[in-house]
Amino acid sequence: MASALSVLVLLKDKDLAKPYIVNGLNKDSIKELKQFAKDKMCPDYNLIEVMACEGGCIGGNESLLPQRDAKKKIKELTDSSKDIKSL
């Protein structure tokens, strides 16, 4: 969603951009995107932002940590998690 927000920040008239956010690629979102392509339009929107990962990806443009540090932190958290170890 950061890209769509960046566009809105740059525009003087905030009503010009009407972003449609795809949060994670799955069968339903891919089907929806294919329909937009077939129809050559996305009703009520003029900007489509697609995030392949739900909530965005590690190291994406809204990441506060460098990718290497984020991966290390995630590994530390998963290693210390009782729930993940039991899977």
Side-chain angles (χ1 to χ4, degrees):
M1 194 160 89
S3 299
L5 290 175
S6 298
V7 169
L8 290 172
V9 167
L10 292 173
L11 291 174
K12 291 180 182 170
D13 182 354
K14 305 295 184 219
D15 293 329
L16 288 176
K18 297 173 188 132
Y20 181 84
I21 310 298
V22 176
N23 189 11
L25 285 177
N26 54 45
K27 286 182 181 182
D28 291 333
S29 62
I30 292 170
K31 182 179 176 182
E32 190 172 40
L33 290 168
K34 285 182 177 181
Q35 188 64 49
F36 293 158
K38 182 180 174 187
D39 296 343
K40 297 187 178 172
M41 65 178 297
C42 177
D44 302 318
Y45 303 94
N46 60 9
L47 171 69
I48 300 174
E49 178 173 359
V50 179
M51 294 185 290
C53 307
E54 284 190 33
C57 300
I58 296 172
N61 59 349
E62 281 194 12
S63 179
L64 299 175
L65 294 172
Q67 188 175 16
R68 181 192 57 179
D69 296 343
K71 284 182 178 179
K72 181 179 176 186
K73 187 68 175 169
I74 289 171
K75 181 165 177 16
E76 290 171 6
L77 291 170
T78 56
D79 287 348
S80 67
S81 171
K82 294 177 195 172
D83 295 328
I84 294 175
K85 285 181 181 178
S86 67
L87 295 176

